[in-house]
Amino acid sequence: MPHGDQQHPQHPGHGHGHDHGHDHGHGHAHGHGHGHGHGHGADPAARGFVAGILLNLGFTAFEAAAGLVAGSMALVADAGHNLSDVLGLGLAWVAVVLARRLPSPRRTYGWHRGTILAALANAALLLVAVGAILAEAVGRLLHPAPVATGPMLWVALAGVAVNTATALLFARGRQHDLNRRGAFLHMAADAAVSLAVVVGALVIRATGWLWVDPGLGMLVAVVILAGTWGLLRESVALAMDMVPPRVDPAAVQTYLAGLPGVVEVHDLHIWALGTTEVALTAHLVRPSAGLDDGFLLSTCAALRARFGIGHATLQLETGSLGCPLAPSEVV
């Protein structure tokens, strides 16, 4: 994106056509800062997703076949869960690739929003998997079937290894990327579920309790639901242009209001461009200050360093026209 842009970025629900019922005036300075870069080289994040997809796709096919041969509902359920994770990783990988594409005249923010949509689709996909697993588990509880505990045990042990290795691919940087965090949580949960299946196989072998197998299938569904709920809630929030959880809007407001010469801050908006990019627009009233590129650059740099806001647009106003301030509840 070009620097020095003198226009406000447009985003859903945030227009600057001065239709708030008050006039901001014209001829004021705008500061436009970007804290991200675009490139076309190899992306470590994309490589991680590809490796995770290939590793889990191969294991999913093996686990499903073993589950059918062994008659294990727990293995079949876990294979279905892993398949949904593979599809989710695929969506996230596509989103990461799209997010690296440069902006265009029609897509002025590029494709960053695709990462949020991928996280949302991933959460929805996992909820469908929960329903399917629960339905099958209930059927197996009502009509128990024998289970070959040997294959169940060894395949589950392999699942612990595969899922742990995949989770480690996404461990780094997960705090700042919803897609990476979603992938890490899913893989870590898969490893825990596979470990539970190992224990279940040992219990069935020792006691002959056939209900343990579908019970583990239901446990898989509960684990998926617990891990998915937070992902669903946050991805919906970001899709609705809410302030990302890691950004404190009150702290941002206080910081901007305390800048040299600033007497008022209004029309402050903070939203997520994608799962890793945060944008901000704000009007700063500085009565005694004119155009000050140094002030704008240092403020944008501070917003990036202190709050992780890499795409800031600031409009400076002198307040000489006596225009009323927009109330905080007005877009």
Side-chain angles (χ1 to χ4, degrees), residues 53-85:
I53 290 169
L54 294 177
L55 186 61
N56 278 270
L57 188 59
F59 177 71
T60 296
F62 171 70
E63 185 178 34
L68 292 174
V69 171
S72 171
M73 173 61 208
L75 284 182
V76 173
D78 197 37
H81 177 203
N82 285 332
L83 179 60
S84 70
D85 280 346

PDB file of all heavy atoms in Angstrom, residues 53-85:
ATOM      1  N   ILE A  53      -0.844 -30.170   6.704  1.00  0.00           N
ATOM      2  CA  ILE A  53      -1.884 -30.783   5.867  1.00  0.00           C
ATOM      3  C   ILE A  53      -1.440 -32.156   5.374  1.00  0.00           C
ATOM      4  O   ILE A  53      -2.178 -33.145   5.482  1.00  0.00           O
ATOM      5  CB  ILE A  53      -2.219 -29.862   4.674  1.00  0.00           C
ATOM      6  CG1 ILE A  53      -2.953 -28.614   5.164  1.00  0.00           C
ATOM      7  CG2 ILE A  53      -3.060 -30.601   3.637  1.00  0.00           C
ATOM      8  CD1 ILE A  53      -3.084 -27.534   4.102  1.00  0.00           C
ATOM      9  N   LEU A  54      -0.232 -32.232   4.833  1.00  0.00           N
ATOM     10  CA  LEU A  54       0.249 -33.505   4.278  1.00  0.00           C
ATOM     11  C   LEU A  54       0.409 -34.559   5.365  1.00  0.00           C
ATOM     12  O   LEU A  54       0.011 -35.726   5.182  1.00  0.00           O
ATOM     13  CB  LEU A  54       1.584 -33.273   3.563  1.00  0.00           C
ATOM     14  CG  LEU A  54       1.532 -32.390   2.315  1.00  0.00           C
ATOM     15  CD1 LEU A  54       2.930 -32.183   1.747  1.00  0.00           C
ATOM     16  CD2 LEU A  54       0.613 -32.997   1.262  1.00  0.00           C
ATOM     17  N   LEU A  55       0.971 -34.170   6.504  1.00  0.00           N
ATOM     18  CA  LEU A  55       1.188 -35.118   7.594  1.00  0.00           C
ATOM     19  C   LEU A  55      -0.134 -35.670   8.113  1.00  0.00           C
ATOM     20  O   LEU A  55      -0.298 -36.889   8.297  1.00  0.00           O
ATOM     21  CB  LEU A  55       1.954 -34.419   8.724  1.00  0.00           C
ATOM     22  CG  LEU A  55       2.408 -35.285   9.910  1.00  0.00           C
ATOM     23  CD1 LEU A  55       3.359 -36.373   9.443  1.00  0.00           C
ATOM     24  CD2 LEU A  55       3.083 -34.409  10.965  1.00  0.00           C
ATOM     25  N   ASN A  56      -1.107 -34.791   8.322  1.00  0.00           N
ATOM     26  CA  ASN A  56      -2.379 -35.220   8.898  1.00  0.00           C
ATOM     27  C   ASN A  56      -3.270 -35.927   7.895  1.00  0.00           C
ATOM     28  O   ASN A  56      -4.066 -36.787   8.277  1.00  0.00           O
ATOM     29  CB  ASN A  56      -3.106 -34.017   9.501  1.00  0.00           C
ATOM     30  CG  ASN A  56      -2.605 -33.690  10.887  1.00  0.00           C
ATOM     31  OD1 ASN A  56      -3.120 -34.194  11.871  1.00  0.00           O
ATOM     32  ND2 ASN A  56      -1.577 -32.847  10.954  1.00  0.00           N
ATOM     33  N   LEU A  57      -3.149 -35.572   6.611  1.00  0.00           N
ATOM     34  CA  LEU A  57      -3.966 -36.247   5.606  1.00  0.00           C
ATOM     35  C   LEU A  57      -3.572 -37.719   5.507  1.00  0.00           C
ATOM     36  O   LEU A  57      -4.439 -38.613   5.459  1.00  0.00           O
ATOM     37  CB  LEU A  57      -3.799 -35.559   4.254  1.00  0.00           C
ATOM     38  CG  LEU A  57      -4.733 -36.040   3.137  1.00  0.00           C
ATOM     39  CD1 LEU A  57      -6.196 -35.841   3.527  1.00  0.00           C
ATOM     40  CD2 LEU A  57      -4.428 -35.291   1.836  1.00  0.00           C
ATOM     41  N   GLY A  58      -2.262 -37.963   5.516  1.00  0.00           N
ATOM     42  CA  GLY A  58      -1.800 -39.343   5.462  1.00  0.00           C
ATOM     43  C   GLY A  58      -2.216 -40.130   6.695  1.00  0.00           C
ATOM     44  O   GLY A  58      -2.693 -41.272   6.589  1.00  0.00           O
ATOM     45  N   PHE A  59      -2.084 -39.516   7.873  1.00  0.00           N
ATOM     46  CA  PHE A  59      -2.464 -40.222   9.096  1.00  0.00           C
ATOM     47  C   PHE A  59      -3.968 -40.439   9.179  1.00  0.00           C
ATOM     48  O   PHE A  59      -4.430 -41.479   9.677  1.00  0.00           O
ATOM     49  CB  PHE A  59      -1.980 -39.457  10.320  1.00  0.00           C
ATOM     50  CG  PHE A  59      -2.399 -40.103  11.612  1.00  0.00           C
ATOM     51  CD1 PHE A  59      -1.821 -41.302  12.021  1.00  0.00           C
ATOM     52  CD2 PHE A  59      -3.398 -39.545  12.400  1.00  0.00           C
ATOM     53  CE1 PHE A  59      -2.215 -41.915  13.196  1.00  0.00           C
ATOM     54  CE2 PHE A  59      -3.796 -40.161  13.573  1.00  0.00           C
ATOM     55  CZ  PHE A  59      -3.200 -41.352  13.972  1.00  0.00           C
ATOM     56  N   THR A  60      -4.763 -39.472   8.709  1.00  0.00           N
ATOM     57  CA  THR A  60      -6.215 -39.614   8.757  1.00  0.00           C
ATOM     58  C   THR A  60      -6.682 -40.820   7.959  1.00  0.00           C
ATOM     59  O   THR A  60      -7.545 -41.591   8.412  1.00  0.00           O
ATOM     60  CB  THR A  60      -6.888 -38.334   8.217  1.00  0.00           C
ATOM     61  OG1 THR A  60      -6.564 -37.238   9.070  1.00  0.00           O
ATOM     62  CG2 THR A  60      -8.399 -38.489   8.153  1.00  0.00           C
ATOM     63  N   ALA A  61      -6.128 -40.986   6.764  1.00  0.00           N
ATOM     64  CA  ALA A  61      -6.502 -42.139   5.941  1.00  0.00           C
ATOM     65  C   ALA A  61      -6.128 -43.444   6.642  1.00  0.00           C
ATOM     66  O   ALA A  61      -6.921 -44.403   6.675  1.00  0.00           O
ATOM     67  CB  ALA A  61      -5.814 -42.051   4.579  1.00  0.00           C
ATOM     68  N   PHE A  62      -4.943 -43.476   7.218  1.00  0.00           N
ATOM     69  CA  PHE A  62      -4.493 -44.680   7.932  1.00  0.00           C
ATOM     70  C   PHE A  62      -5.371 -44.959   9.152  1.00  0.00           C
ATOM     71  O   PHE A  62      -5.772 -46.110   9.400  1.00  0.00           O
ATOM     72  CB  PHE A  62      -3.038 -44.488   8.366  1.00  0.00           C
ATOM     73  CG  PHE A  62      -2.530 -45.554   9.292  1.00  0.00           C
ATOM     74  CD1 PHE A  62      -2.301 -46.847   8.840  1.00  0.00           C
ATOM     75  CD2 PHE A  62      -2.285 -45.255  10.632  1.00  0.00           C
ATOM     76  CE1 PHE A  62      -1.835 -47.827   9.702  1.00  0.00           C
ATOM     77  CE2 PHE A  62      -1.816 -46.230  11.495  1.00  0.00           C
ATOM     78  CZ  PHE A  62      -1.593 -47.523  11.028  1.00  0.00           C
ATOM     79  N   GLU A  63      -5.710 -43.907   9.915  1.00  0.00           N
ATOM     80  CA  GLU A  63      -6.509 -44.089  11.125  1.00  0.00           C
ATOM     81  C   GLU A  63      -7.927 -44.548  10.802  1.00  0.00           C
ATOM     82  O   GLU A  63      -8.490 -45.402  11.505  1.00  0.00           O
ATOM     83  CB  GLU A  63      -6.546 -42.786  11.927  1.00  0.00           C
ATOM     84  CG  GLU A  63      -7.251 -42.918  13.271  1.00  0.00           C
ATOM     85  CD  GLU A  63      -7.227 -41.634  14.067  1.00  0.00           C
ATOM     86  OE1 GLU A  63      -7.291 -40.552  13.458  1.00  0.00           O
ATOM     87  OE2 GLU A  63      -7.133 -41.703  15.305  1.00  0.00           O
ATOM     88  N   ALA A  64      -8.516 -43.984   9.739  1.00  0.00           N
ATOM     89  CA  ALA A  64      -9.870 -44.390   9.362  1.00  0.00           C
ATOM     90  C   ALA A  64      -9.900 -45.858   8.958  1.00  0.00           C
ATOM     91  O   ALA A  64     -10.801 -46.616   9.360  1.00  0.00           O
ATOM     92  CB  ALA A  64     -10.369 -43.508   8.217  1.00  0.00           C
ATOM     93  N   ALA A  65      -8.925 -46.281   8.171  1.00  0.00           N
ATOM     94  CA  ALA A  65      -8.865 -47.682   7.748  1.00  0.00           C
ATOM     95  C   ALA A  65      -8.675 -48.600   8.949  1.00  0.00           C
ATOM     96  O   ALA A  65      -9.340 -49.639   9.084  1.00  0.00           O
ATOM     97  CB  ALA A  65      -7.729 -47.873   6.745  1.00  0.00           C
ATOM     98  N   ALA A  66      -7.772 -48.212   9.865  1.00  0.00           N
ATOM     99  CA  ALA A  66      -7.529 -49.025  11.058  1.00  0.00           C
ATOM    100  C   ALA A  66      -8.764 -49.077  11.944  1.00  0.00           C
ATOM    101  O   ALA A  66      -9.078 -50.127  12.530  1.00  0.00           O
ATOM    102  CB  ALA A  66      -6.341 -48.464  11.834  1.00  0.00           C
ATOM    103  N   GLY A  67      -9.469 -47.955  12.067  1.00  0.00           N
ATOM    104  CA  GLY A  67     -10.672 -47.921  12.890  1.00  0.00           C
ATOM    105  C   GLY A  67     -11.759 -48.830  12.361  1.00  0.00           C
ATOM    106  O   GLY A  67     -12.457 -49.513  13.117  1.00  0.00           O
ATOM    107  N   LEU A  68     -11.918 -48.851  11.043  1.00  0.00           N
ATOM    108  CA  LEU A  68     -12.933 -49.731  10.429  1.00  0.00           C
ATOM    109  C   LEU A  68     -12.559 -51.201  10.621  1.00  0.00           C
ATOM    110  O   LEU A  68     -13.413 -52.043  10.917  1.00  0.00           O
ATOM    111  CB  LEU A  68     -13.075 -49.394   8.948  1.00  0.00           C
ATOM    112  CG  LEU A  68     -13.690 -48.020   8.641  1.00  0.00           C
ATOM    113  CD1 LEU A  68     -13.633 -47.741   7.137  1.00  0.00           C
ATOM    114  CD2 LEU A  68     -15.132 -47.945   9.139  1.00  0.00           C
ATOM    115  N   VAL A  69     -11.281 -51.522  10.452  1.00  0.00           N
ATOM    116  CA  VAL A  69     -10.828 -52.905  10.628  1.00  0.00           C
ATOM    117  C   VAL A  69     -10.985 -53.346  12.080  1.00  0.00           C
ATOM    118  O   VAL A  69     -11.439 -54.466  12.366  1.00  0.00           O
ATOM    119  CB  VAL A  69      -9.362 -53.057  10.164  1.00  0.00           C
ATOM    120  CG1 VAL A  69      -8.828 -54.439  10.548  1.00  0.00           C
ATOM    121  CG2 VAL A  69      -9.260 -52.850   8.659  1.00  0.00           C
ATOM    122  N   ALA A  70     -10.628 -52.455  13.012  1.00  0.00           N
ATOM    123  CA  ALA A  70     -10.687 -52.800  14.431  1.00  0.00           C
ATOM    124  C   ALA A  70     -12.093 -52.672  15.006  1.00  0.00           C
ATOM    125  O   ALA A  70     -12.363 -53.149  16.108  1.00  0.00           O
ATOM    126  CB  ALA A  70      -9.731 -51.910  15.215  1.00  0.00           C
ATOM    127  N   GLY A  71     -12.989 -52.026  14.276  1.00  0.00           N
ATOM    128  CA  GLY A  71     -14.336 -51.796  14.796  1.00  0.00           C
ATOM    129  C   GLY A  71     -14.366 -50.788  15.920  1.00  0.00           C
ATOM    130  O   GLY A  71     -15.238 -50.846  16.796  1.00  0.00           O
ATOM    131  N   SER A  72     -13.428 -49.840  15.906  1.00  0.00           N
ATOM    132  CA  SER A  72     -13.320 -48.859  16.986  1.00  0.00           C
ATOM    133  C   SER A  72     -14.000 -47.545  16.616  1.00  0.00           C
ATOM    134  O   SER A  72     -13.559 -46.834  15.706  1.00  0.00           O
ATOM    135  CB  SER A  72     -11.842 -48.593  17.314  1.00  0.00           C
ATOM    136  OG  SER A  72     -11.722 -47.508  18.213  1.00  0.00           O
ATOM    137  N   MET A  73     -15.060 -47.215  17.357  1.00  0.00           N
ATOM    138  CA  MET A  73     -15.743 -45.943  17.164  1.00  0.00           C
ATOM    139  C   MET A  73     -14.814 -44.781  17.513  1.00  0.00           C
ATOM    140  O   MET A  73     -14.820 -43.728  16.871  1.00  0.00           O
ATOM    141  CB  MET A  73     -16.992 -45.898  18.048  1.00  0.00           C
ATOM    142  CG  MET A  73     -17.702 -44.557  18.070  1.00  0.00           C
ATOM    143  SD  MET A  73     -18.286 -44.083  16.434  1.00  0.00           S
ATOM    144  CE  MET A  73     -18.267 -42.312  16.577  1.00  0.00           C
ATOM    145  N   ALA A  74     -13.982 -44.968  18.555  1.00  0.00           N
ATOM    146  CA  ALA A  74     -13.076 -43.897  18.972  1.00  0.00           C
ATOM    147  C   ALA A  74     -12.098 -43.543  17.860  1.00  0.00           C
ATOM    148  O   ALA A  74     -11.833 -42.366  17.591  1.00  0.00           O
ATOM    149  CB  ALA A  74     -12.321 -44.316  20.237  1.00  0.00           C
ATOM    150  N   LEU A  75     -11.553 -44.557  17.192  1.00  0.00           N
ATOM    151  CA  LEU A  75     -10.606 -44.284  16.107  1.00  0.00           C
ATOM    152  C   LEU A  75     -11.301 -43.644  14.917  1.00  0.00           C
ATOM    153  O   LEU A  75     -10.772 -42.708  14.306  1.00  0.00           O
ATOM    154  CB  LEU A  75      -9.918 -45.586  15.671  1.00  0.00           C
ATOM    155  CG  LEU A  75      -8.829 -46.137  16.595  1.00  0.00           C
ATOM    156  CD1 LEU A  75      -8.225 -47.404  15.990  1.00  0.00           C
ATOM    157  CD2 LEU A  75      -7.738 -45.104  16.848  1.00  0.00           C
ATOM    158  N   VAL A  76     -12.490 -44.161  14.549  1.00  0.00           N
ATOM    159  CA  VAL A  76     -13.222 -43.588  13.414  1.00  0.00           C
ATOM    160  C   VAL A  76     -13.604 -42.140  13.713  1.00  0.00           C
ATOM    161  O   VAL A  76     -13.493 -41.257  12.850  1.00  0.00           O
ATOM    162  CB  VAL A  76     -14.468 -44.426  13.087  1.00  0.00           C
ATOM    163  CG1 VAL A  76     -15.318 -43.734  12.022  1.00  0.00           C
ATOM    164  CG2 VAL A  76     -14.060 -45.814  12.619  1.00  0.00           C
ATOM    165  N   ALA A  77     -14.056 -41.884  14.940  1.00  0.00           N
ATOM    166  CA  ALA A  77     -14.422 -40.516  15.322  1.00  0.00           C
ATOM    167  C   ALA A  77     -13.211 -39.596  15.257  1.00  0.00           C
ATOM    168  O   ALA A  77     -13.291 -38.462  14.766  1.00  0.00           O
ATOM    169  CB  ALA A  77     -15.017 -40.512  16.731  1.00  0.00           C
ATOM    170  N   ASP A  78     -12.080 -40.089  15.759  1.00  0.00           N
ATOM    171  CA  ASP A  78     -10.872 -39.267  15.734  1.00  0.00           C
ATOM    172  C   ASP A  78     -10.402 -39.024  14.301  1.00  0.00           C
ATOM    173  O   ASP A  78      -9.888 -37.949  13.978  1.00  0.00           O
ATOM    174  CB  ASP A  78      -9.775 -39.937  16.557  1.00  0.00           C
ATOM    175  CG  ASP A  78      -8.649 -38.969  16.905  1.00  0.00           C
ATOM    176  OD1 ASP A  78      -8.949 -37.789  17.164  1.00  0.00           O
ATOM    177  OD2 ASP A  78      -7.485 -39.383  16.901  1.00  0.00           O
ATOM    178  N   ALA A  79     -10.589 -40.035  13.435  1.00  0.00           N
ATOM    179  CA  ALA A  79     -10.227 -39.843  12.031  1.00  0.00           C
ATOM    180  C   ALA A  79     -11.110 -38.775  11.388  1.00  0.00           C
ATOM    181  O   ALA A  79     -10.629 -37.931  10.621  1.00  0.00           O
ATOM    182  CB  ALA A  79     -10.354 -41.164  11.272  1.00  0.00           C
ATOM    183  N   GLY A  80     -12.411 -38.802  11.714  1.00  0.00           N
ATOM    184  CA  GLY A  80     -13.306 -37.755  11.200  1.00  0.00           C
ATOM    185  C   GLY A  80     -12.910 -36.387  11.705  1.00  0.00           C
ATOM    186  O   GLY A  80     -12.940 -35.400  10.962  1.00  0.00           O
ATOM    187  N   HIS A  81     -12.525 -36.336  12.971  1.00  0.00           N
ATOM    188  CA  HIS A  81     -12.055 -35.079  13.546  1.00  0.00           C
ATOM    189  C   HIS A  81     -10.794 -34.602  12.824  1.00  0.00           C
ATOM    190  O   HIS A  81     -10.664 -33.431  12.455  1.00  0.00           O
ATOM    191  CB  HIS A  81     -11.776 -35.298  15.031  1.00  0.00           C
ATOM    192  CG  HIS A  81     -11.225 -34.099  15.738  1.00  0.00           C
ATOM    193  ND1 HIS A  81     -10.504 -34.196  16.896  1.00  0.00           N
ATOM    194  CD2 HIS A  81     -11.263 -32.778  15.430  1.00  0.00           C
ATOM    195  CE1 HIS A  81     -10.143 -32.981  17.285  1.00  0.00           C
ATOM    196  NE2 HIS A  81     -10.585 -32.106  16.414  1.00  0.00           N
ATOM    197  N   ASN A  82      -9.863 -35.521  12.605  1.00  0.00           N
ATOM    198  CA  ASN A  82      -8.625 -35.161  11.915  1.00  0.00           C
ATOM    199  C   ASN A  82      -8.881 -34.695  10.487  1.00  0.00           C
ATOM    200  O   ASN A  82      -8.212 -33.795   9.981  1.00  0.00           O
ATOM    201  CB  ASN A  82      -7.654 -36.344  11.912  1.00  0.00           C
ATOM    202  CG  ASN A  82      -6.997 -36.564  13.269  1.00  0.00           C
ATOM    203  OD1 ASN A  82      -6.831 -35.621  14.031  1.00  0.00           O
ATOM    204  ND2 ASN A  82      -6.656 -37.803  13.571  1.00  0.00           N
ATOM    205  N   LEU A  83      -9.873 -35.324   9.833  1.00  0.00           N
ATOM    206  CA  LEU A  83     -10.206 -34.890   8.475  1.00  0.00           C
ATOM    207  C   LEU A  83     -10.732 -33.463   8.480  1.00  0.00           C
ATOM    208  O   LEU A  83     -10.369 -32.660   7.605  1.00  0.00           O
ATOM    209  CB  LEU A  83     -11.238 -35.839   7.858  1.00  0.00           C
ATOM    210  CG  LEU A  83     -11.694 -35.485   6.435  1.00  0.00           C
ATOM    211  CD1 LEU A  83     -10.504 -35.489   5.477  1.00  0.00           C
ATOM    212  CD2 LEU A  83     -12.773 -36.452   5.962  1.00  0.00           C
ATOM    213  N   SER A  84     -11.572 -33.143   9.465  1.00  0.00           N
ATOM    214  CA  SER A  84     -12.074 -31.768   9.547  1.00  0.00           C
ATOM    215  C   SER A  84     -10.928 -30.799   9.818  1.00  0.00           C
ATOM    216  O   SER A  84     -10.921 -29.671   9.317  1.00  0.00           O
ATOM    217  CB  SER A  84     -13.144 -31.653  10.645  1.00  0.00           C
ATOM    218  OG  SER A  84     -12.576 -31.787  11.929  1.00  0.00           O
ATOM    219  N   ASP A  85      -9.944 -31.249  10.600  1.00  0.00           N
ATOM    220  CA  ASP A  85      -8.779 -30.401  10.846  1.00  0.00           C
ATOM    221  C   ASP A  85      -7.951 -30.199   9.578  1.00  0.00           C
ATOM    222  O   ASP A  85      -7.415 -29.114   9.344  1.00  0.00           O
ATOM    223  CB  ASP A  85      -7.894 -31.016  11.934  1.00  0.00           C
ATOM    224  CG  ASP A  85      -8.431 -30.747  13.333  1.00  0.00           C
ATOM    225  OD1 ASP A  85      -9.309 -29.875  13.466  1.00  0.00           O
ATOM    226  OD2 ASP A  85      -7.974 -31.400  14.270  1.00  0.00           O
TER     227      ASP A  85
END
